[in-house]
Amino acid sequence: MTVAKRIDGKAKAAELAESISRETAALLKEHGVTPGLAVVIIGEDPASQVYVRNKKRTAESCGFHSVQHTLPENVSQPDVLQLINELNNDDAIHGILVQLPLPDHLNEQAITQAIAPSKDVDGFHFVNIGKLTAGHTSDAFVPCTPAGCMLMIEDELGSDLSGKNAVVIGRSNIVGKPMASLLLQANATVTVTHSRTRNLPQVVAGADIIVAAVGRADMVKADWVKPGAVIIDVGINRVEKTIDGETRMVLTGDVDFDDVSTVAGAVTPVPGGVGPMTITMLMANTLRSARLAAGLVA
Ligand code: GUN
């Protein structure tokens, strides 16, 4: 028996991308500005290559100026910093993204902090993290994945989450921590759980909103879930599954979708939930940066 609504992130992302395309065309027509996104990829990580290809394709379909810098696995730290410096000073570029993870010899923090905060469309610079944490969300670049999750939560529950309990599973800088800040800003009562949390299923059982971002396939089960809860699944795990006697690699989230769907109010699928929204939020951040650079109110 299925009761939960399947939240269609792919359809919502496509709708948003359409309005970004329209606004991009208007920005060019009225102000002569085309949003520019530079994506830097270092090394040969296959998953990163897929993500970067999707980002480039979406940027082009929105009418952006899109550039990709592919650097070899053994590139030096000064060479990466020099490229970032050039992009910081390039007026045609409004957003800079360095795809993570980086090879071990590179200093991730020095690289992400070298990006100008005004072009930090990933929201990883300490200036943007500080603004978000201090509640200045309208003035910050918010990391794309939590920003996309928040839009889907708002669709289900509205923008004021007063009285709602939200449980975030995972405390990463990319998802867990900024997600908690956004939920708090929307007046939810927020619990951030992680690998050292005791009695996780009981903690999750009190949640009206669950955001799972741990990287453990199918971890969240129906008996963890409060009836009617809204569940956002950020996980993308590659696992072997046997379907109709045939074993193959499939993508699955951190949430056991079929199981929780018997109890929850609404759930995002994997794939087709958070992933497409993340890419579209990158475009939204880049458009916003271009509008700000053109002297327009974001
Ligand atoms: N790798 C996985 N997710 C992300 C992201 O949101 N931004 C960047 N730059 N790298 C990532």
Side-chain angles (χ1 to χ4, degrees):
M1 181 196 59
T2 302
V3 293
K5 169 185 168 187
R6 175 185 181 279
I7 299 173
D8 190 343
K10 195 171 168 192
K12 184 170 175 63
E15 249 173 59
L16 277 169
E18 233 175 74
S19 83
I20 291 169
S21 301
R22 277 196 302 274
E23 286 180 46
T24 299
L27 186 64
L28 177 61
K29 193 164 167 223
E30 290 158 26
H31 301 276
V33 173
T34 298
L37 175 65
V39 175
V40 180
I41 177 164
I42 302 171
E44 307 282 328
D45 182 62
S48 290
Q49 286 182 342
V50 173
Y51 293 140
V52 166
R53 220 176 8 253
N54 285 338
K55 286 169 185 173
K56 189 160 197 291
R57 193 184 319 129
T58 311
E60 283 164 2
S61 78
C62 287
F64 289 8
H65 167 55
S66 168
V67 291
Q68 182 175 329
H69 292 270
T70 307
L71 304 179
E73 180 86 23
N74 63 356
V75 68
S76 72
Q77 177 89 5
D79 283 355
V80 179
L81 293 176
Q82 191 192 326
L83 173 62
I84 291 172
N85 189 42
E86 283 166 20
L87 295 169
N88 281 343
N89 291 303
D90 184 342
D91 289 343
I93 297 299
H94 304 99
I96 303 168
L97 177 144
V98 179
Q99 186 67 29
L100 303 178
L102 297 173
D104 287 344
H105 70 282
L106 294 173
N107 181 337
E108 179 182 309
Q109 181 162 311
I111 288 171
T112 52
Q113 301 311 308
I115 296 171
S118 61
K119 296 190 179 188
D120 169 37
V121 286
D122 252 333
F124 294 167
H125 195 284
F126 293 157
V127 165
N128 286 312
I129 295 171
K131 284 179 179 176
L132 171 59
T133 310
H136 289 251
T137 28
S138 61
D139 191 31
F141 284 115
V142 175
C144 303
T145 299
C149 293
M150 205 60 206
L151 288 187
M152 292 191 284
I153 292 168
E154 280 176 6
D155 272 357
E156 300 308 313
L157 299 171
S159 55
D160 184 357
L161 303 177
S162 295
K164 303 285 187 205
N165 290 325
V167 172
V168 179
I169 312 175
R171 56 172 157 178
S172 70
N173 289 328
I174 297 186
V175 184
K177 288 179 197 167
M179 190 72 237
S181 295
L182 287 172
L183 288 161
L184 197 55
Q185 185 68 12
N187 301 320
T189 302
V190 183
T191 305
V192 181
T193 67
H194 47 78
S195 56
R196 309 287 175 91
T197 298
R198 299 222 173 105
N199 304 324
L200 183 61
Q202 286 97 312
V203 177
V204 174
D208 303 295
I209 301 160
I210 301 167
V211 180
V214 267
R216 280 238 245 135
D218 298 334
M219 183 181 76
V220 178
K221 301 289 185 189
D223 59 4
W224 297 29
V225 174
K226 180 173 169 176
V230 171
I231 307 181
I232 308 292
D233 189 352
V234 182
I236 306 181
N237 309 289
R238 262 169 205 286
V239 294
E240 270 190 2
K241 270 199 183 165
T242 305
I243 301 163
D244 297 335
E246 198 189 320
T247 303
R248 51 194 163 111
M249 294 300 281
V250 294
L251 289 180
T252 187
D254 293 346
V255 174
D256 187 334
F257 183 90
D258 291 339
D259 196 31
V260 302
S261 287
T262 60
V263 182
V267 192
T268 63
V270 177
V274 172
M277 286 297 289
T278 294
I279 295 184
T280 303
M281 296 318 291
L282 176 66
M283 305 307 142
N285 279 352
T286 305
L287 173 61
R288 181 160 169 268
S289 178
R291 288 173 57 80
L292 285 168
L296 301 166
V297 181

